Amino acid sequence: MPILIDEKTCLSGCTICDFFCPGDIIWRESREEPPEVKYPDECWYCGACEDHCPVDAVKVVFPPEMLDCQTPVETLMGLPARRPA
Amino acid sequence: MKSPAARLRPPSEKTQIIETDVLVVGGGVAGCLAVLGAAEAGARVTVCEKGGIIERSGSVAAGVDHFFSVLEEGPEWDTPEYLLRHVPRLTDGIADMGTTARLLHGLKPMVHYLEKLGVDFTDPETGRKYYRHRSFGMPGEYTINFDGRDFKHLIGRAARNTGALVLERVMVPEILVEDGRVRGAAAFHIRHGTFYFILARAVVMATGETNRMSRNASGLPFDSWHTPYNTGDGQAMSLRRGARLANMEFYDCTLCPKGYSTQGTNAFVGGGGHLINRQGERFMFRYHPDGERARRGDLVHGIVSEIMAGRGPIYCDCTHLPPEEIHRLKETLGVDRPAMPAFFEQKGIDIGKAPFEVTVSELSSRHGGTFFRSSGILIDPGTGTNVEGLFAAGDCSTMGAGISGAAVLGKVAGEEAARHALAARKPRALPEEEIAALRGAILSPLQNPGGYTHSRFEDEVRSVVTDYVGFYRDEPHMREGLRRLRALRAREGEMTARDHHGLMRVHEARSIRAVAEAMAASAIERRETRGGGAHARADYPARDDATGLKMIVVELQGEDLRVSSVPTGLTPEDTRSTVSLGEASAHAHTD
């Protein structure tokens, strides 16, 4: 989960993370329910939610694909560059 | 299992019909300024923004710390005319000089206009107003430092205060054009599904650049260096209805910490950090006389070439910098991306203690590495297009120049669209069956059975772009890529969406494919290498001024793209350097 929300700290009725998320990832449709990270695969890892949370209840957590990335640059290049000379 | 359709609102929910003079698609900087320009010219305005509220949407929602402008304060370089003379060099000869002139002359008035909206151009470090420095390889100190954390809030609020109808979380997937003239657009709410038909006499496209186009290091498609929610929707829907796109062959790419495609890494090398290879050697001078101060695209090509030569991994080394500079870099780490300090912390990187590994990002379709030469909807100096009543501004148009370009030409687009709309005849209402057909087509992914998701479709587009169209290109591979991208078009109708948020993603995926196809078709026609790392042909590795000084234009003819070109009117002599380059400032901003 890219975004952890501490439900104990989260302010009831606040919808800042819902409104500030540029990707429509975090939803809080009901003030009674805690916010839901509804589309975690579509997170940009921008940190707008954590940055704007008034009570520091939000934390962005980077996944292993990003922290331990081993992808060689060749896989990002076109086939002409990867073709044997 | 419940069928997707069962979760929808009943189909009886009525389409909301809205009539307006000017419809603005996109509520970022260009869109908000278009709202202001059109409203001030007396038009009724509607703006649709698929993200959240317009006070906090678009590429600089979180804030911005620089604004590029000529101010005519006295120095020789500080006039539109002086800068204009350098544009051919800055753009490698690919620029529309008329539109550039309109932009440059609009900069100083725009600074004063923004100040009236409450923007304060005071440098937070020195307390000086209009404190400027040199960046982006420009021939003068045009970049104003300022604390723009509330920049978007101020212009969004001003746009709202015009009384414009603001439709938030509303995506426009199609415009309607009849007899070469804009009629309006269809739109839907990305959460609740309300469907809108907006009858408009003029439309301003302001949808930004295109991302999620090619493979990145983490393999997470939304981990992109620019906002992954900008997906070329305006470019694609305009193209589908007859508009021309240009400069589509160029791509943008950046250096970034390995595993995180993000802006902001240029700040380290701009602040004095060194790029070193496995042997600890500062290799950039092998590729560019300015070393680490070269343009972004040159850095990217240096890093890639070094790795391909077997001297990777590549690191950014800041350990030699004085403690106060390390402190400054750490303090400003989160300016471009608030989550960047968290990434460094969670990865255990301390820039003062050890070099950290860098790599390159995925490709985006944006500026082609420089201002004044964007990939997008071809506009004239008044931001008009070849489709009557259709205007475009900002990064979705051919004249991008960061938020400065978006602001100046966004306002022009609003004014011109209003002028056009107020002189145009009242559009006749669309027959109900036509609206119903349009609605059915746009919502159809909600009814599709099967598991062909937007992510599967997009993954196929990204792998074709990466392998066949990508970074180092040649004609046989691009022809194959074009063939595959066309074949994917036939599968667009199979994509399925579980909800209206997913429906937005399906339409975004269609846009990404269309932009990728335009990129492939255009890149085949540019048989040379040009642009400081924005178009690199393995089969034509040199720049060729005999054939290259032209803008490549694509438009739809039947089902396929027709490619043509327009000479820029610039000569090889125009593009030669006349001032010293590479005096990048210590504050090497990323835009």
Side-chain angles (χ1 to χ4, degrees):
Chain A
M1 185 59 72
I3 300 159
L4 293 183
I5 299 172
D6 181 358
E7 293 180 7
K8 286 201 274 305
T9 324
C10 177
L11 278 184
S12 83
C14 167
T15 53
I16 285 180
C17 53
D18 175 323
F19 270 101
F20 280 38
C21 173
D24 193 41
I25 312 305
I26 308 176
W27 283 36
R28 188 175 209 175
E29 293 271 273
S30 152
R31 284 165 184 272
E32 286 72 44
E33 300 288 318
E36 181 193 358
V37 181
K38 207 166 153 135
Y39 305 95
D41 295 348
E42 300 171 5
C43 180
W44 182 24
Y45 296 90
C46 71
C49 48
E50 180 174 335
D51 203 37
H52 289 105
C53 175
V55 291
D56 288 333
V58 187
K59 187 172 163 56
V60 173
V61 181
F62 289 89
E65 294 96 316
M66 298 176 78
L67 293 177
D68 307 318
C69 174
Q70 300 295 331
T71 310
V73 79
E74 286 82 353
T75 62
L76 309 185
M77 299 295 110
L79 287 172
R82 282 184 270 153
R83 187 169 60 181
Chain B
M1 193 186 134
K2 221 153 80 160
S3 86
R7 271 171 267 152
L8 299 182
R9 286 196 177 187
S12 63
E13 195 206 325
K14 269 186 65 135
T15 297
Q16 306 287 311
I17 311 271
I18 293 166
E19 203 196 310
T20 191
D21 294 325
V22 175
L23 169 66
V24 178
V25 184
V29 175
C32 284
L33 266 299
V35 170
L36 284 156
E40 285 168 13
R44 291 172 304 162
V45 186
T46 300
V47 54
C48 293
E49 162 60 49
K50 71 179 178 181
I53 54 175
I54 59 167
E55 286 83 352
R56 290 285 175 195
S57 61
S59 300
V60 297
V64 63
D65 62 355
H66 60 284
F67 190 94
F68 166 89
S69 188
V70 167
L71 288 176
E72 297 178 284
E73 286 187 318
E76 188 202 0
W77 52 262
D78 203 11
T79 64
E81 293 78 15
Y82 183 93
L83 179 51
L84 192 61
R85 284 201 295 278
H86 292 276
V87 166
R89 170 183 62 76
L90 292 166
T91 59
D92 310 283
I94 314 298
D96 169 351
M97 295 300 280
T99 310
T100 312
R102 178 96 187 238
L103 164 60
L104 297 184
H105 284 276
L107 286 169
K108 185 182 167 188
M110 179 49 65
V111 165
H112 297 314
Y113 182 82
L114 292 170
E115 286 177 325
K116 281 195 206 123
L117 303 185
V119 178
D120 180 2
F121 287 108
T122 302
D123 175 41
E125 277 179 49
T126 61
R128 282 168 57 190
K129 204 170 181 184
Y130 309 140
Y131 179 67
R132 288 186 293 169
H133 62 87
R134 186 190 295 259
S135 68
F136 304 125
M138 290 289 167
E141 297 165 10
Y142 300 112
T143 302
I144 307 173
N145 272 9
F146 77 114
D147 178 355
R149 275 176 293 185
D150 60 353
F151 179 83
K152 186 64 207 313
H153 182 77
L154 291 166
I155 63 168
R157 191 180 63 187
R160 191 186 297 279
N161 287 345
T162 62
L165 176 63
V166 181
L167 298 176
E168 282 144 338
R169 290 185 174 140
V170 169
M171 181 196 205
V172 174
E174 294 290 354
I175 52 168
L176 226 73
V177 173
E178 207 174 58
D179 304 325
R181 201 159 61 90
V182 160
R183 292 281 306 277
F188 64 91
H189 193 285
I190 63 163
R191 286 198 183 177
H192 310 129
T194 305
F195 194 85
Y196 299 90
F197 186 75
I198 304 160
L199 212 53
R201 300 178 200 212
V203 171
V204 177
M205 280 299 165
T207 56
E209 76 288 346
T210 313
N211 299 293
R212 291 189 351 229
M213 288 182 75
S214 85
R215 214 177 282 141
N216 65 2
S218 70
L220 303 172
F222 285 75
D223 164 32
S224 59
W225 72 289
H226 277 285
T227 169
Y229 317 115
N230 280 357
T231 47
D233 304 334
Q235 295 86 316
M237 74 180 107
S238 302
L239 178 71
R240 281 197 289 272
R241 302 298 171 156
R244 298 189 180 116
L245 307 183
N247 300 332
M248 296 305 289
E249 67 274 29
F250 298 121
Y251 55 76
D252 271 88
C253 184
T254 193
L255 71 158
C256 54
K258 190 161 184 178
Y260 190 20
S261 282
T262 178
Q263 329 92 306
T265 317
N266 274 35
F268 296 104
V269 289
H274 296 155
L275 291 174
I276 57 173
N277 63 18
R278 186 166 60 194
Q279 288 110 24
E281 178 198 8
R282 278 179 76 188
F283 60 87
M284 265 312 298
F285 293 96
R286 222 194 314 276
Y287 303 99
H288 200 282
D290 295 333
E292 285 96 350
R293 303 259 162 128
R295 285 190 288 185
R296 186 202 303 278
D298 298 309
L299 297 181
V300 165
H301 276 260
I303 290 168
V304 170
S305 307
E306 202 64 8
I307 296 173
M308 302 293 253
R311 290 187 290 267
I314 302 302
Y315 299 91
C316 177
D317 186 0
C318 298
T319 55
H320 58 283
L321 295 175
E324 58 273 17
E325 185 58 22
I326 294 285
H327 178 74
R328 193 189 71 80
L329 283 171
K330 284 183 178 172
E331 285 297 300
T332 54
L333 205 55
V335 168
D336 282 304
R337 204 55 105 74
M340 203 145 149
F343 179 79
F344 277 53
E345 192 201 316
Q346 290 171 34
K347 198 169 175 170
I349 297 171
D350 182 339
I351 57 165
K353 295 223 168 81
F356 61 95
E357 190 179 346
V358 294
T359 186
V360 297
S361 72
E362 72 293 337
L363 310 177
S364 65
S365 174
R366 194 166 167 262
H367 283 158
T370 180
F371 278 4
F372 318 125
R373 182 187 69 191
S374 285
S375 311
I377 303 163
L378 180 60
I379 56 169
D380 61 33
T383 74
T385 69
N386 60 309
V387 175
E388 198 187 322
L390 180 65
F391 301 80
D395 279 357
C396 73
S397 77
T398 41
M399 189 49 65
I403 57 168
S404 309
V408 171
L409 292 183
K411 185 143 182 289
V412 170
E415 289 160 358
E416 295 285 336
R419 209 182 328 264
H420 177 87
L422 296 175
R425 278 168 299 153
K426 181 177 157 60
R428 79 176 164 84
L430 213 61
E432 258 179 50
E433 56 272 28
E434 221 171 301
I435 293 175
L438 193 64
R439 175 180 163 137
I442 287 169
L443 301 183
S444 67
L446 291 164
Q447 317 294 340
N448 276 352
Y452 194 54
T453 60
H454 82 87
S455 12
R456 272 185 58 199
F457 178 86
E458 272 186 49
D459 279 344
E460 291 178 58
V461 172
R462 277 187 284 272
S463 91
V464 175
V465 170
T466 307
D467 289 344
Y468 295 93
V469 188
F471 205 90
Y472 292 117
R473 312 164 150 181
D474 69 16
E475 180 142 354
H477 286 90
M478 284 195 289
R479 292 233 174 259
E480 177 61 16
L482 192 55
R483 191 189 67 73
R484 290 173 185 238
L485 287 166
R486 282 178 181 159
L488 275 170
R489 183 181 56 207
R491 300 204 60 192
E492 280 179 4
E494 295 172 35
M495 276 189 280
T496 175
R498 280 188 302 146
D499 54 18
H500 289 90
H501 173 100
L503 184 64
M504 163 174 72
R505 298 287 181 241
V506 166
H507 287 291
E508 289 176 349
R510 294 173 67 214
S511 304
I512 294 167
R513 190 215 62 85
V515 169
E517 185 183 346
M519 178 185 269
S522 306
I524 289 170
E525 292 305 314
R526 185 169 288 286
R527 292 184 176 83
E528 60 159 354
T529 290
R530 185 176 293 262
H535 172 71
R537 289 283 297 250
D539 47 354
Y540 297 96
R543 170 167 155 166
D544 179 9
D545 280 340
T547 67
L549 290 167
K550 62 190 177 190
M551 280 171 92
I552 293 181
V553 177
V554 290
E555 64 196 301
L556 212 54
Q557 199 167 57
E559 292 250 285
D560 288 321
L561 292 174
R562 191 177 82 89
V563 187
S564 58
S565 63
V566 186
T568 59
L570 298 167
T571 66
E573 289 67 43
D574 293 330
T575 67
R576 301 267 147 77
S577 182
T578 50
V579 285
S580 67
L581 282 181
E583 293 171 49
S585 142
H587 307 264
H589 288 294
T590 55
D591 54 330

